[in-house]
Amino acid sequence: MAAASASLQSFPSNLKLSRTTGVTTASASSFLSFKNSINPVFCKKLAANVNVSGSRKTFLVKNQVNPSDASRPTKVHQLCVYEINERDRGSPAYLRLGQKPVNSLGDLVPFTNKVNSLILILDFSFFVYDNKDLKVLPNLVQVYSADLQTRLGITAGICILIKNMPETKGDRYEAIYSFHLGDYGQISVQGAYVTTEDTYLSVTGGTGVFAGAYGQVKLQQLVFPFKLFYTFYLQGLSADLPSELLVTPVPPSPAVEASPAAKATEPGSTGPNFSD
Amino acid sequence: MFHVLAKSSGPLAPHSGYVDLLEKPKNKKDLKDLLIPVQVYSADPQTRLGITAGICILIKNMPETKGDRYEAIYSFHLGDYGQISVQGAYVTTEDTYLSVTGGTGVFAGAYGQVKLQQLVFPFKVFYTFYLQGLSADMPAELLVTPVPPSPAVEASPAAKAAEPRATSPNYSD
C-alpha cells in the first residue's frame, strides 16, 4: 500500500480556469488539445491549468461556435467524484462469454458502484489541498462527494472486454455507463477503461442539472478495481452546478474512505433522493 | 419536444410507444412519457414510425418495490427521418429521464433528455423527447397532437397493420 500511495503523487491538486486568448504552458507540461469546430465564426478559448505536483498539465478547449448554435453553453464546469465498490451490490458481474481461461474478447462485465462526488468550479482561484488525515475504511461501491462526506448516488453500466494485455497484466475495456446522482440527474459516459492506466471517456449526455452536457471525464484508479476518482469537464450546462455540490476535495489516494455517516446514508450525509 | 409511443411484444423488448413530436427550443415543461416497446408509433397514435433497438442491463433488483433498475442503451429508428440514441436509467416502477446521446437524419446533432413514462409495464411506454441541437424544425408529419397517455392507449389498426397510409416513409422494421 505504501508503494501504491507513493506512486499516486500525481493527482490534480490545483485547478484554475482562466479565459485567455493564449495559453501559456510550462516547458515540462503535457498538452492536451481538442477542437470542436462547426463553423469558424468566432473562437472562444478556455484554458484549464491543472497543477499536478510539479508537472503542469494543461487542457486547452477551443470552441468555434456557429451563431445558430451559440445557445449551447461552452463554459467548462469541473466536477469530481469518487466511485467506490463496497462489495455490497453484487458488482461487478463478470460474464466470461469469451469462454477462455484468460480474459478475452466477448467477456462482458455489468457493474454498479456507489458514488461520492467532489465538485470544483473551474473559475474559482486555486484550490489548495491541505493534507487531511484520511481514515482507512473498507472499500465500498458508492459515489460520494469529493470530501467523501456525502453519498450522491451510483454508477450503472457495462464494461466490454476488448483486449487482455498480459505483458502489463492489464485489460482494455470499452465502458458504457451512467452516474446517477439522485435529484441532480445523471451523466452518461462512454469510453476506454484500461485497468493499468488513467483514461478519458466521452460525456455523451446528461439529465437534470446536467441536461445538455458534453465534454470528457478523466478516470483515475486509486485501488483497482474498488476506488476510482473522476474529474468531469462538463460543458453545455444551462447553469452553474448547485452550490451544495461545491466541497473542498480530499486529495485522491488509495487510502480515501467515505465518512461513516455517508456510508450509512444518514440523512445529513446524502444528496437529495440519492440513487441506490 | 416530441412524444413517442412505444409498444412491445415481449418482456423488456425495445420499447414501442406512440411518438408525439413537438419540438421545443429549450425547457421541458410538458413531459410526455414514452415507453420503450418494440414498435414506435406517433403520439396520436395513428402512424407507425419505426422501432427501438438496444439493450437493458439489469443493475439492481428492488424487492421492496417489486421493481428493477436497468441501465438502458438503445436507439429509436424512425425510418427516413433518422434515429435518436439514448442512454440512461430504466426503473420499472417509476418514470425516469435518459440522456439523448445523439441522432442522425433530421435528428443529427441532437442532445438533451427524454422522459420515459410506463403506461403498461413492460408493454407500453410513452416518451417525451426534449431535443436541442437540431438544425431545423422537425417535419410537420411528426408534430401531431398527442393522445393523453393512459394504459388503454392503442395504436390504430391501420398503424398496427403498417398500412401504407399509416406509416412514415420507409419506417424501420
Side-chain angles (χ1 to χ4, degrees):
Chain A
M1 213 47 153
S5 48
S7 70
L8 291 168
Q9 291 302 311
S10 56
F11 280 102
S13 56
N14 290 328
L15 288 134
K16 175 184 179 186
L17 171 68
S18 56
R19 293 171 191 265
T20 62
T21 54
V23 176
T24 57
T25 62
S27 54
S29 69
S30 64
F31 187 83
L32 176 68
S33 159
F34 57 95
K35 292 182 189 178
N36 181 12
S37 79
I38 303 170
N39 274 330
V41 175
F42 66 92
C43 175
K44 186 189 284 185
K45 286 189 193 180
L46 303 171
N49 290 326
V50 177
N51 195 357
V52 178
S53 67
S55 73
R56 289 177 66 78
K57 202 183 254 186
T58 303
F59 296 95
L60 170 65
V61 178
K62 190 174 177 183
N63 271 321
Q64 294 168 307
V65 181
N66 184 330
S68 70
D69 195 33
S71 59
R72 189 163 201 190
T74 56
K75 174 178 174 181
V76 183
H77 302 258
Q78 185 162 325
L79 162 69
C80 295
V81 297
Y82 282 96
E83 178 189 12
I84 304 184
N85 184 342
E86 292 172 351
R87 286 179 268 205
D88 59 349
R89 294 177 67 82
S91 173
Y94 199 98
L95 306 177
R96 198 168 290 280
L97 304 176
Q99 296 179 354
K100 293 196 174 62
V102 295
N103 296 350
S104 63
L105 188 66
D107 294 349
L108 299 180
V109 191
F111 69 95
T112 174
N113 299 318
K114 300 181 189 175
V115 178
N116 271 339
S117 72
L118 168 69
I119 300 203
L120 304 168
I121 295 299
L122 282 180
D123 54 7
F124 280 14
S125 316
F126 284 99
F127 277 95
V128 177
Y129 283 174
D130 45 45
N131 283 328
K132 302 181 184 177
D133 288 337
L134 300 172
K135 293 172 270 190
V136 178
L137 302 169
N139 296 335
L140 298 174
V141 183
Q142 280 102 5
V143 179
Y144 293 96
S145 59
D147 60 358
L148 293 163
Q149 300 295 322
T150 307
R151 163 80 185 282
L152 290 184
I154 59 169
T155 53
I158 191 165
C159 285
I160 302 160
L161 184 88
I162 300 299
K163 185 178 177 184
N164 174 248
M165 300 178 296
E167 64 280 3
T168 56
K169 292 197 175 51
D171 296 307
R172 166 185 283 277
Y173 293 87
E174 185 70 9
I176 308 170
Y177 58 106
S178 300
F179 293 76
H180 298 283
L181 306 179
D183 282 355
Y184 296 121
Q186 67 166 66
I187 308 172
S188 298
V189 301
Q190 180 175 342
Y193 167 53
V194 180
T195 56
T196 49
E197 62 191 50
D198 299 341
T199 58
Y200 284 88
L201 291 81
S202 311
V203 173
T204 52
T207 69
V209 307
F210 309 106
Y214 66 96
Q216 50 182 6
V217 55
K218 180 174 180 181
L219 182 160
Q220 282 166 303
Q221 289 201 91
L222 306 180
V223 178
F224 169 75
F226 299 111
K227 291 189 205 170
L228 293 88
F229 183 68
Y230 293 91
T231 307
F232 287 89
Y233 300 96
L234 298 174
Q235 294 169 274
L237 304 186
S238 55
D240 289 344
L241 291 166
S243 58
E244 58 267 22
L245 297 179
L246 307 178
V247 295
T248 306
V250 168
S253 85
V256 296
E257 291 291 345
S259 70
K263 281 206 250 182
T265 65
E266 292 174 13
S269 301
T270 60
N273 283 326
F274 69 96
S275 306
D276 193 13
Chain B
M1 174 175 66
F2 81 93
H3 308 274
V4 177
L5 172 65
K7 260 180 62 178
S8 69
S9 53
L12 292 172
H15 320 283
S16 60
Y18 43 91
V19 180
D20 177 332
L21 302 178
L22 297 173
E23 185 179 9
K24 224 172 184 182
K26 284 222 168 130
N27 289 332
K28 43 306 172 154
K29 285 307 175 192
D30 313 347
L31 298 177
K32 302 173 197 180
D33 299 339
L34 299 172
L35 294 170
I36 314 177
V38 175
Q39 292 95 20
V40 178
Y41 298 92
S42 59
D44 7 29
Q46 301 294 321
T47 308
R48 167 77 187 280
L49 295 179
I51 58 169
T52 53
I55 189 169
C56 284
I57 301 155
L58 182 79
I59 298 300
K60 184 177 178 182
N61 173 250
M62 301 178 294
E64 64 280 5
T65 55
K66 291 196 176 50
D68 296 307
R69 166 186 282 277
Y70 293 87
E71 185 71 10
I73 306 168
Y74 59 102
S75 298
F76 294 77
H77 297 280
L78 306 179
D80 282 354
Y81 295 122
Q83 69 168 63
I84 307 172
S85 298
V86 300
Q87 179 179 339
Y90 167 52
V91 180
T92 55
T93 48
E94 62 190 49
D95 300 339
T96 58
Y97 284 88
L98 291 82
S99 309
V100 173
T101 55
T104 69
V106 307
F107 309 108
Y111 63 95
Q113 48 187 359
V114 56
K115 180 173 178 181
L116 183 161
Q117 272 171 305
Q118 290 201 90
L119 305 182
V120 177
F121 168 76
F123 299 110
K124 287 190 208 171
V125 183
F126 184 64
Y127 294 96
T128 306
F129 287 88
Y130 300 95
L131 297 177
Q132 295 167 271
L134 304 186
S135 56
D137 289 342
M138 279 186 281
E141 186 199 8
L142 299 179
L143 306 177
V144 293
T145 308
V147 167
S150 80
V153 170
E154 286 287 340
S156 70
K160 282 204 237 186
E163 293 175 14
R165 60 188 169 83
T167 60
S168 67
N170 285 325
Y171 70 96
S172 307
D173 195 13

